[in-house]
Amino acid sequence: MTDKTHILVTGGAGQVGLELLRAAWPDGVVLHAPSRAELDLTSATSIRAAFETTPFAAVINSAAWTAVDKAESEAAAAFAANALGPALLADATRARGVPLIQVSTDYVFDGEKAEPYGEDDPVGPIGIYGASKLAGETAARLGNPRSVVLRTAWVLSAHRSNFLKTMLRLAADRPILRVVDDQQGCPTSARDIAEALKTIALRMIADPQAPTGVYHFVNGGEASWADLAREIFRLSAASEGVHAEVEGIPSSEYPTPARRPRNSRLLTNRIGADYAIHPRPWKEAVADIIAELTAQGAPA
Ligand SMILES: NC(=O)c1ccc[n+]([C@@H]2O[C@H](COP(=O)([O-])OP(=O)(O)OC[C@H]3O[C@@H](n4cnc5c(N)ncnc54)[C@H](OP(=O)(O)O)[C@@H]3O)[C@@H](O)[C@H]2O)c1
């Protein structure tokens, strides 16, 4: 087993986790992606057992409680997955001198800043999900000095549920969709996040002095949810898929249990400088996802 480089990927069935498994890794790298039943992040016993059977060279924690609205009424469960889980992984990795990469979120910010957020801007989550993810960031950073926290936002892929797939599903029945246009963010491909995580993991494995700390990774450019929906339908219609007109509405007309930050835009200079990762524009990334769904015969 020792001639291979073993990497533990949690959340392997999620959007980002699936793309990590689909990515091309160098020869000799073996990804281990146990299901939630095999490795429950909230169980110290479960995590210990995983580390006892395999000498991991790195851990990428892409598992999380991602149900933002449900977190408001199930805070204990959200904190267990998003804060206790990273704390347990940080303990297990630090004890073995192994790097930990913790995926986090724009929701650690309150969204009141007028400009895009840098890594060192003050945090201030406005919901339980964001608070639980912030606790996870702190646990990873304090628990393992060889950790990277990678914040991302507005994650899209051809898998699981996300905004892009919801828009296409709704457009099958409705000619006009009312979509929030007063929240700004950076739509981001799960595949591109996986590539960034791969680059960071391989560098951290190869170089004990590799940079640590908090990084932002989102695709380039910015959009409101309504802008994103319009681009999704433009691309979908161009490949003979569904189309709907998009009517922009304020968030006040689409009440949800959890408030969302008005500004979710993240700066990515630091990851460019330290890891030479330069995100492509979000429209290119969305076009690839629509093309993937079209190739699958899905309703794009
Ligand atoms: N989605 C977004 O828009 C977004 C935005 C910003 C940041 N992020 C962050 O990006 C990361 C990846 O998100 P994603 O969209 O890929 O998430 P996702 O599709 O919802 O997948 C999450 C994965 O975590 C697993 N999981 C949840 N609780 C677990 C536990 N206790 N033990 C083990 N596994 C558990 C889930 O297992 P099951 O398959 O059994 O459900 C699932 O495979 C997360 O850290 C998330 O906070 C996401």
Side-chain angles (χ1 to χ4, degrees), residues 42-282:
T42 65
S43 156
T45 314
S46 177
I47 289 178
R48 199 177 309 118
F51 279 83
E52 274 166 9
T53 50
T54 312
F56 297 117
V59 174
I60 303 175
N61 182 24
S62 74
W65 174 292
T66 54
V68 173
D69 288 318
K70 213 168 144 201
E72 295 296 311
S73 52
E74 298 189 33
F79 268 84
N82 293 348
L84 174 62
L88 295 172
L89 288 174
D91 278 353
T93 49
R94 183 195 50 208
R96 293 162 178 82
V98 167
L100 169 65
I101 306 171
Q102 166 69 20
V103 184
S104 194
T105 171
D106 54 309
Y107 281 33
V108 298
F109 296 116
D110 66 11
E112 294 304 317
K113 189 181 173 188
E115 301 299 322
Y117 283 95
E119 286 85 350
D120 297 332
D121 276 325
V123 289
I126 55 175
I128 299 292
Y129 167 76
S132 68
K133 292 293 293 183
L134 178 58
E137 289 189 0
T138 307
R141 294 180 64 193
L142 295 182
N144 184 346
R146 286 193 74 200
S147 60
V148 159
V149 168
L150 189 81
R151 291 188 189 133
T152 188
W154 292 30
V155 179
L156 306 171
S157 73
H159 322 287
R160 300 223 0 156
S161 61
N162 58 61
F163 179 84
L164 183 152
K165 293 186 72 183
T166 302
M167 286 297 108
L168 295 176
R169 178 169 45 79
L170 294 177
D173 300 325
R174 302 189 209 165
I176 301 176
L177 296 176
R178 304 175 78 231
V179 182
V180 168
D181 69 359
D182 61 358
Q183 293 168 19
Q184 296 288 321
C186 307
T188 302
S189 154
R191 182 171 299 179
D192 292 9
I193 299 168
E195 284 297 323
L197 290 167
K198 184 176 89 174
T199 300
I200 295 168
L202 293 174
R203 171 106 170 261
M204 291 186 90
I205 291 168
D207 176 7
Q209 305 306 320
T212 57
V214 180
Y215 290 90
H216 290 172
F217 178 87
V218 286
N219 279 127
E222 58 188 64
S224 69
W225 290 113
D227 296 332
L228 172 57
R230 289 189 188 101
E231 181 65 6
I232 289 167
F233 292 129
R234 190 188 69 75
L235 290 161
S236 167
S239 46
E240 301 186 351
V242 293
H243 182 267
E245 292 302 323
V246 174
E247 182 192 331
I249 58 166
S251 314
S252 56
E253 289 185 26
Y254 187 74
T256 51
R259 283 201 300 136
R260 268 77 173 159
R262 286 191 299 187
N263 173 20
S264 277
R265 295 170 296 154
L266 302 180
L267 293 170
T268 57
N269 319 42
R270 184 179 286 176
I271 202 167
D274 286 4
Y275 277 96
I277 293 170
H278 303 287
R280 63 181 169 154
W282 69 263

